[in-house]
Amino acid sequence: MTGSEQPVRSGLSHALSLHSVTKLYGSLAAVDDVSLSIPRGSFLTLLGPSGSGKTTILMAIAGFVQPTRGEIRLDDRVITNVPPDKRNFGMVFQGYALFPHMTVEDNIWFPLKVRGISKARASTAIGEALELVQMGALARRLPSQLSGGQQQRVALARALVFEPDLMLLDEPLSALDKKLRADLQWELKALHRKLGTTFIYVTHDQEEALSMSDEIVILRDGRIEQQGEPGALYEKPATRFVADFLGKSNFLAGKVAGRDAETFTYSVEGTELRQCSTAPVALGENVLVALRPEKIVVARSRPDLPNATVGRIAEFNYYGANYHFKVATPHLGDLIATTPAWNCDVEPALDSEVWLGWSPEAAVVVEDR
Amino acid sequence: MERRLTFGRCMMLGLAWTVLGFMVLPMLIIFPVSLTDQYYLSLPKESLSLEHYKAYFTDEQWIDATVQSVIIAVASTVASVVLGTLCAIGCWRISTSRASAVRTFMLLPIIVPTIVQALALYRFWIDLRIVDTYIGVILAHTLVSIPYVVITVSAALAGFDVRLEQAARNLGASMAQTIRHVIVPSIMPGVLSGAIFAFTISFDEIVMVLFITSRNVYTLPKRIWDGIEDHLDPTIASVATMLIVVTLALLLAELWLRQRRSIARGRASGEA
């Protein structure tokens, strides 16, 4: 599994689209008028807090949830009413859902068995699938004899062995510990590149979403809040919700006080701050600015930046690689700032005075919702 | 944990053992009676004898009644296990309030007094012309056994992960393939428990048999019943002894299955 390998089956990958899909439970909309187009061979992540409708959308794609309204198409074919066993989509479930009474090998044979392929004829495919997830040595074990990470690999192999048109993954890493989760993120991404199959991934973990996806769709209350490439979403969140859910942000609410060609100034409780913005803003308008903690410069003396404020350290946490400071400022409230621990300019001590500064390009104007 | 034997505790233990003895001892009297050397139901007087066991195995009528009982019990077990399991899976799968109403409705044969059912079946079986036939008895026994199968299978399904069914469907299995390859193997201990219950119930059922059979169908319990009415043949005691042993063995098997299931569940939840 190296990055240089060519996708084996990219020509076989499929595109999926949702057209105004709505799912009502009583009068409550779990999914509310979602339209989405997933290009061939891409890795798309549905990201959202619990109750945002991400799993319902995945279940509708898999065929376990019948949309109240709307249409799902695979390429040009409408599949809204096709039963789950006729869709030919591979799925990795939360908790893996391995058949406990079957060995690893028989679990992987299962999708081929129900397609009428004998174990003898399926043996090559089973072996290849096991090799793909590096589980060849444990073929005759029962799922209960495997660790969480191993079960996850078997679930993956089982979902891949019948060459599905689409891979659906429902929080596949959520039950694993942090280190294993990080390792498997690399592996999943490499696997996706190798197979070229379209992957649809559901998670509430923003780091997973950022690290693996070609595209992220952020869901909130059954609707699409924002979608785009990971970098674009992180750098240009459109709303307060996205700025706070995908990574963390400080929020500065103020009134526009002045404008020039590329920047405007706004005042927060009497403090003038400068902000870059391509979108037009009117004088006196209320604006909300989101500022990432890692884009704030933490310094002993006033930094040479257009935006600066002094404050006192109210709280700090050490994370090995980083310090996280909570700085109480006189006019801007508490601001969170992070700085590399090996290159920290200030003495990390409670109540010591520090300066915070950031450039007008560092922050982004967001909608307040 | 060691506990002191207080007066209250002695009373409680004594009472518990008395109740237990009251329940079990009358049954145990059968054992010595079956070994009597007399020609009527009595305790052995001068020596122990296996005469009446020999009588059972050499008497064609006893053997014939046993064979009939086995045939009926096996057939009604198969029928009630298949129907009860499908019913339980269906109710579990649909899982609406209507489905749970159906499940409750299935328990009616346990609630309605057997004699009332027997009377009703007798009337109905006359119309269907299946009084005193194998099929009539098998149907009646299936009817009373189904609730036990539904209960044990539903209990097993309560611990079954819905995602396993979804995984099977997603991997391309039809509903029938899913039931056969995934659901039934997972709930097998529940199905087997149900089967053991069904077999025992049919094998020693007497009330219905008295109503819906006369000469053609002659089961073991009916033969015992008639034996007591006619003359107090000690062979009955030897048959009863063997019945107790077989039933006990089956119930112990059921207990063992249940234990294994709870161990398996404990292990599964321990990992989660």
Side-chain angles (χ1 to χ4, degrees):
Chain A
M1 277 198 260
T2 57
S4 60
E5 284 175 63
Q6 282 298 305
V8 194
R9 303 175 43 230
S10 56
L12 299 170
S13 66
H14 296 266
L16 187 92
S17 56
L18 275 65
H19 304 267
S20 307
V21 169
T22 297
K23 177 64 187 177
L24 299 174
Y25 289 108
S27 60
L28 194 90
V31 178
D32 193 0
D33 196 26
V34 166
S35 294
L36 192 60
S37 162
I38 303 160
R40 265 166 219 278
S42 72
F43 193 130
L44 180 124
T45 298
L46 300 172
L47 175 69
S50 56
S52 59
K54 57 190 192 300
T55 299
T56 311
I57 293 176
L58 196 76
M59 287 297 177
I61 296 171
F64 297 118
V65 164
Q66 188 66 37
T68 314
R69 283 191 292 276
E71 218 173 56
I72 302 171
R73 284 192 211 146
L74 183 70
D75 299 328
D76 294 322
R77 192 163 62 96
V78 178
I79 59 158
T80 322
N81 294 314
V82 175
D85 48 308
K86 298 278 179 280
R87 292 196 182 191
N88 204 43
F89 295 168
M91 181 155 177
V92 178
F93 288 79
Q94 207 175 353
Y96 324 128
L98 296 176
F99 304 127
H101 57 287
M102 297 182 198
T103 60
V104 165
E105 206 172 33
D106 286 351
N107 261 283
I108 298 171
W109 175 39
F110 185 84
L112 302 174
K113 178 167 83 172
V114 297
R115 285 168 174 77
I117 298 170
S118 71
K119 198 165 175 180
R121 277 208 295 139
S123 66
T124 317
I126 296 171
E128 278 173 10
L130 279 168
E131 276 320 303
L132 201 61
V133 296
Q134 302 148 38
M135 284 290 294
L138 303 173
R140 292 182 201 278
R141 296 265 187 102
L142 283 171
S144 60
Q145 296 166 317
L146 302 178
S147 71
Q150 290 168 336
Q151 290 186 39
Q152 206 277 343
R153 286 162 203 258
V154 176
L156 206 56
R158 187 179 67 175
L160 287 168
V161 71
F162 59 101
E163 310 202 333
D165 294 339
L166 213 63
M167 273 293 276
L168 310 174
L169 302 105
D170 186 10
E171 310 220 10
L173 307 182
S174 64
L176 305 175
D177 62 62
K178 195 172 174 165
K179 178 149 181 8
L180 196 55
R181 213 156 59 210
D183 289 347
L184 280 163
Q185 283 177 27
W186 292 102
E187 285 183 32
L188 267 179
K189 199 171 173 177
L191 199 63
H192 170 250
R193 202 166 32 229
K194 183 170 178 183
L195 296 170
T197 311
T198 311
F199 274 42
I200 301 175
Y201 192 95
V202 162
T203 186
H204 65 268
D205 183 320
Q206 38 117 354
E207 277 182 23
E208 263 172 48
L210 287 171
S211 68
M212 290 190 287
S213 321
D214 295 324
E215 189 168 359
I216 300 176
V217 175
I218 296 185
L219 292 154
R220 180 190 189 185
D221 301 331
R223 290 174 162 275
I224 294 178
E225 182 82 0
Q226 195 180 351
Q227 70 184 93
E229 286 171 25
L233 273 187
Y234 188 82
E235 295 300 331
K236 296 270 175 247
T239 64
R240 175 195 274 268
F241 177 83
V242 174
D244 208 29
F245 190 72
L246 199 66
K248 284 277 162 253
S249 292
N250 295 294
F251 293 100
L252 301 164
K255 251 188 200 350
V256 177
R259 260 184 326 182
D260 58 35
E262 277 152 8
T263 66
F264 65 87
T265 58
Y266 61 108
S267 78
V268 183
E269 307 239 346
T271 305
E272 285 266 307
L273 298 168
R274 185 165 288 279
Q275 174 63 31
C276 273
S277 178
T278 45
V281 289
L283 281 176
E285 190 187 331
N286 287 319
V287 287
L288 186 70
V289 172
L291 175 61
R292 297 286 186 193
E294 72 274 15
K295 294 192 180 172
I296 299 178
V297 174
V298 183
R300 254 175 299 183
S301 53
R302 189 187 170 105
D304 185 21
L305 287 163
N307 301 311
T309 181
V310 72
R312 292 188 175 278
I313 297 176
E315 207 82 68
F316 71 91
N317 286 335
Y318 176 62
Y319 288 94
N322 298 301
Y323 274 113
H324 289 198
F325 293 108
K326 185 194 256 183
V327 179
T329 65
H331 302 296
L332 306 177
D334 287 351
L335 293 179
I336 307 287
T338 64
T339 186
W342 65 274
N343 193 17
C344 184
D345 190 35
V346 300
E347 182 67 33
L350 287 182
D351 219 32
S352 73
E353 196 182 83
V354 291
W355 279 89
L356 303 178
W358 64 95
S359 69
E361 309 86 60
V364 56
V365 179
V366 296
E367 275 179 66
D368 190 7
R369 61 181 180 89
Chain B
M1 183 172 57
E2 199 154 325
R3 277 213 256 163
R4 256 168 3 104
L5 275 179
T6 60
F7 175 73
R9 199 171 138 71
C10 280
M11 284 291 287
M12 196 174 70
L13 272 176
L15 195 69
W17 281 107
T18 311
V19 170
L20 205 67
F22 188 73
M23 283 166 66
V24 175
L25 286 179
M27 212 157 67
L28 291 183
I29 197 76
I30 289 293
F31 288 90
V33 170
S34 73
L35 296 171
T36 187
D37 51 352
Q38 307 295 304
Y39 288 96
Y40 49 92
L41 271 180
S42 62
L43 285 169
K45 284 226 171 88
E46 272 150 34
S47 63
L48 297 176
S49 150
L50 285 171
E51 194 57 36
H52 307 294
Y53 285 89
K54 198 176 139 201
Y56 165 78
F57 284 108
T58 48
D59 185 336
E60 213 169 283
Q61 281 183 305
W62 278 112
I63 296 299
D64 186 46
T66 310
V67 169
Q68 290 202 12
S69 266
V70 170
I71 290 171
I72 288 166
V74 167
S76 71
T77 299
V78 170
S80 59
V81 164
V82 170
L83 294 174
T85 303
L86 288 178
C87 171
I89 291 175
C91 289
W92 168 80
R93 182 67 181 69
I94 297 166
S95 77
T96 58
S97 57
R98 225 177 292 176
S100 72
V102 167
R103 201 156 34 199
T104 313
F105 191 73
M106 291 307 293
L107 306 186
L108 267 186
I110 297 183
I111 300 159
V112 176
T114 318
I115 191 121
V116 177
Q117 277 182 72
L119 201 62
L121 286 185
Y122 175 62
R123 278 293 309 135
F124 192 38
W125 271 204
I126 289 175
D127 292 344
L128 293 177
R129 297 170 192 280
I130 52 172
V131 170
D132 203 20
T133 61
Y134 273 101
I135 193 78
V137 180
I138 290 168
L139 273 180
H141 283 180
T142 302
L143 215 62
V144 288
S145 305
I146 284 179
Y148 294 91
V149 179
V150 172
I151 288 172
T152 56
V153 174
S154 294
L157 280 169
F160 179 76
D161 186 353
V162 190
R163 278 175 301 195
L164 290 183
E165 186 219 321
Q166 290 182 335
R169 296 301 305 279
N170 168 260
L171 294 168
S174 65
M175 197 61 212
Q177 284 173 317
T178 304
I179 290 176
R180 200 177 132 217
H181 296 303
V182 175
I183 299 180
V184 168
S186 300
I187 57 170
M188 209 52 193
V191 176
L192 286 179
S193 295
I196 290 170
F197 272 119
F199 188 89
T200 350
I201 286 164
S202 165
F203 200 68
D204 57 33
E205 204 284 324
I206 177 75
V207 180
M208 294 209 175
V209 167
L210 286 180
F211 272 80
I212 60 173
T213 65
S214 57
R215 289 263 162 260
N216 281 331
V217 182
Y218 208 73
T219 66
L220 193 58
K222 195 181 178 192
R223 169 96 202 160
I224 294 172
W225 176 261
D226 288 348
I228 291 175
E229 285 210 316
D230 298 348
H231 54 289
L232 296 172
D233 183 356
T235 312
I236 293 165
S238 63
V239 174
T241 305
M242 290 186 278
L243 271 181
I244 288 172
V245 170
V246 170
T247 311
L248 208 64
L250 284 177
L251 286 181
L252 285 177
E254 200 274 337
L255 205 68
W256 178 73
L257 279 172
R258 204 154 8 134
Q259 227 158 33
R260 223 179 50 156
R261 187 168 58 206
S262 67
I263 289 168
R265 194 175 301 163
R267 201 167 41 206
S269 63
E271 268 162 21

